[in-house]
Amino acid sequence: MTLTPPAVVRPGDRVRFDGADYLVVTLAGTAVRLRTDDGTEAVVLASYLMASPEFAVLGCDRLPSIDSFGLLDGLPAKVLEDAREWERHLVEVQTGLPQQLPEGAILGRSTTRRRPPCRTGNGRRRPS
């Protein structure tokens, strides 16, 4: 599997969006201010801009793709085990389903360990 990083947008870049070419004027938080050659300006969310099917950064080389093979090979076994556990947990949180269903599992019921019951600040105080 090859990971292709998303395009990077910086002030001064030229981008194609919504059927026109724009100059990236500023980035402010998640907003991108764009200007056409005739001076028309638009402010759009970066996520909306980059999710557009026709979005492209013009006049620059794409970032190199990264081959995911061997990225974790140099990690200690404990770190790798922890990373795999976090990956399993995040996939279950995002999808609602574990990566591999255990035997007899019921869909919709989490397989993660339950947290111990929480106590209020008053419940933790010990009498003097």
Side-chain angles (χ1 to χ4, degrees):
M1 177 171 108
T2 301
L3 303 174
T4 304
V8 175
V9 177
R10 298 178 185 98
D13 285 346
R14 297 199 59 80
V15 297
R16 178 163 295 127
F17 167 70
D18 201 25
D21 293 348
Y22 292 89
L23 173 70
V24 177
V25 180
T26 59
L27 301 171
T30 60
V32 181
R33 180 177 295 274
L34 304 171
R35 182 181 300 144
T36 62
D37 291 335
D38 66 2
T40 305
E41 290 194 0
V43 178
V44 296
L45 291 173
S47 58
Y48 182 77
L49 173 71
M50 293 181 195
S52 172
E54 66 213 26
F55 170 75
V57 179
L58 306 174
C60 70
D61 296 329
R62 286 194 54 87
L63 294 174
S65 59
I66 301 170
D67 190 8
S68 63
F69 178 74
L71 288 177
L72 303 177
D73 287 349
L75 296 176
K78 176 64 176 148
V79 173
L80 186 57
E81 180 184 331
D82 290 346
R84 297 282 187 218
E85 178 65 23
W86 273 108
E87 177 188 33
R88 184 196 65 74
H89 176 70
L90 290 174
V91 167
E92 185 171 346
V93 167
Q94 289 178 338
T95 64
L97 298 171
Q99 286 180 324
Q100 298 174 351
L101 288 174
E103 188 67 33
I106 300 171
L107 289 180
R109 187 172 293 172
S110 175
T111 60
T112 58
R113 288 175 257 141
R114 295 197 179 258
R115 291 177 36 185
C118 296
R119 293 188 289 175
T120 64
N122 289 335
R124 288 189 294 265
R125 290 191 184 125
R126 294 186 179 148
S128 322

